[in-house]
Amino acid sequence: MSANGSSKYPGVTPPIAVAESSPKEKELTASLLEELRRQGMLESEEEAKTRTIVLERIAALVKKFVRTVSLARGLSEAAATAAGGKIFTFGSYRLGVHGPGSDIDTLCVVPKHVSREDFFDVFEHMLKDTEGVTEVSGVPDAYVPIIKLKILGIPIDLVMARLALSTIPDDLSLQDDNLLRNLDERCVRSLNGSRVTDEILRLVPNDSVFREALRCIKLWAQRRAIYSNVNGFLGGVAWAMLVARICQFYPKAVAGAIVSRFFIIMYQWNWPTPVLLKPIEDGPLSVRVWNPKLYPSDRAHRMPIITPAYPAMCATHNVTQSTQMIMTGEFKKAADIVDRVVVGKANWSELFSKHDFFHRYRYYLQIIASTGSSDLQIKWAGTVESRIRQLVIKLEYVESLELAHPFIKGFEQVSYCLNDEEVRAVAQGDISEAVAKRKKQDIEGKEGASAVHSTTFYIGLAVEPRQPGSIGPRRLDISYPTTEFTKLVKMWEKFDEQKMGIVVRHIKRSPLVQSAFSGVADAPVCSAALPDYVFEEGERQPRPVLKRPKKEATDRSSNTSPDMPNKKPRHMLPETTTTTHPHEHFKENGNTLPHVNMVTTVDRPPSTAGLYTSNVKDPAEIKSPQLSRSENVALTTVAPSAR
């Protein structure tokens, strides 16, 4: 019997409705699936066959790896061969919602005499020496240690788990909780991906409906730039669990009906009430299970979505105040679009319109990670990206900063420089037209020339609207969060100031944004604007902000009036409006790159710059036109509180 008292339907509560979908909802589903095909969400038959070949090759390599290590440990030929080794897929591929070019999340399960060090020392080198394998990069210090690579052009993310078994049989199943005994936390986390994926599929009432709806939600989240766990949004597993929960609410509904209810229910959801697919269970290990009544850090989770496999964990612990606000706004926009689709006033294609991140804000933070080699850049850029969430959290404490919006990916570039001056400029984000056009062959054989590998990340800054009656330009001091961020990334144990560069600066949406504000000329404002590479070909770039007519100064408008309040920032933030750190140089291939150059002054825009606060309401106040009265009533009872 399931947790809701019914053996028929999975979930922690009874369904909201068990009626079959209407003919109209079935028509909407047909048109939705056709739109997903037009959007290129389905891979070709040829690519599907390639993925099968790739997985077969990985499975063979894992067995070879285990056998090699077993022989090195002194096992006989027969015992080394019998030691086995097996792979399991998880994530989007296992869920059946991967698309063209998607990676395959793969778990390698090995016996107890094969160590994690062997995985990175032996297996990683074995992969590099294998024909057809490219871009191999191990990240042993990651929260879940991983090797990234490509086989026949298919991206693969490999994680490893060592079980307390002498051999790994080909028919091994990971469903038994007792397999987690005597494992370290990293192995438990590695196993968790596969166990969670399988449990999600077990807990949805209809696999095909779940997959169709999830394809839609996944594409929508990617297009709206809110698909990224590391940056504080939701990752693939979290989106899958949300869709699975809506499927549990409507077990007989078709995909179109699931999608039409998904957005409004998520918009109304009474966070931080957790999303659960099954009751949280105890198990055989003395490991931490998500429990907000016991652990203060669990109570701090803003949008808890709890994994269904033991040990239960929060898949959304990275969500911040800003990213929650952004996702809430996107839920509302999507709900409005689907409302219009239902009544025939819009098409499904509108739901998948591209984000407007680089058109939305007046100011952005630009974080540039740079090195002199491609292999080192992968590790350094990944480290910097994993810390950006901490910068967002610190920015949220800055007075008058309404929202800090991280973009979900970095922009990678390789710049070919002829001299130290060009190298320094590139590391600071200033890439001249000449450098941008230069190719690798243009610097070959030239003394002092080298390549700079850089990855640039962006955070949009939304400032509170100017209060009525406020006079004169005001500055927003963000020097403390940015300074602390650079300190944080340099605390990485493998940080080498001679080889790695980190630059944080603020830039403007348009070169003429500054002229929209009076009195700004005295401030040391960064002159850079958003670079062309953040826009797609043919995309219209933001129009420059026209200069306001200058008004005659009066005593009343003077920003030096003694009547103006001298309000200090919260949390004792530094009063200085600009922080510029000395250049700390590093050399790579004979070139010197600046380590930090941080300019962190922005000006407060007028009240028209308000973004989310005006349209994001308290979910408890929303009465949705999409849900019937009985559904709205049911929704208030189906989300058990863990608080």
Side-chain angles (χ1 to χ4, degrees), residues 23-33 256-257 260 341-343 348:
K24 175 64 174 177
E25 289 172 332
K26 293 177 181 178
E27 291 177 12
L28 288 171
T29 299
S31 62
L32 172 60
L33 297 181
S260 68
V341 170
V342 169
V343 297
W348 283 114

Side-chain angles (χ1 to χ4, degrees), residues 83 108 122 213 218 252 342 345 369 383 412 421 426 506 513 550 554 559 573 577-578 608 617:
C108 305
V122 178
K218 180 179 178 180
K252 294 186 178 180
V342 169
K345 294 184 178 180
T383 299
E412 299 177 352
E421 183 179 352
V426 167
H506 92 269
V513 166
K550 184 179 290 186
T554 64
N559 60 7
L573 293 178
T577 58
T578 302
T608 55
K617 303 176 183 179

Side-chain angles (χ1 to χ4, degrees), residues 282-347:
D282 292 326
L285 306 179
S286 58
V287 297
R288 175 168 168 170
V289 175
W290 189 81
N291 188 339
K293 296 179 180 179
L294 187 60
Y295 302 113
S297 60
D298 290 351
R299 284 197 295 275
H301 294 157
R302 306 186 65 90
M303 296 177 65
I305 303 172
I306 310 305
T307 58
Y310 173 82
M313 303 178 185
C314 179
T316 49
H317 61 275
N318 281 347
V319 173
T320 71
Q321 177 180 323
S322 291
T323 55
Q324 181 182 9
M325 188 182 298
I326 293 160
M327 286 186 284
T328 302
E330 292 294 345
F331 287 142
K332 177 61 167 64
K333 292 176 185 177
D336 291 342
I337 292 172
V338 173
D339 269 348
R340 291 189 287 111
V341 170
V342 169
V343 297
K345 294 184 178 180
N347 298 317

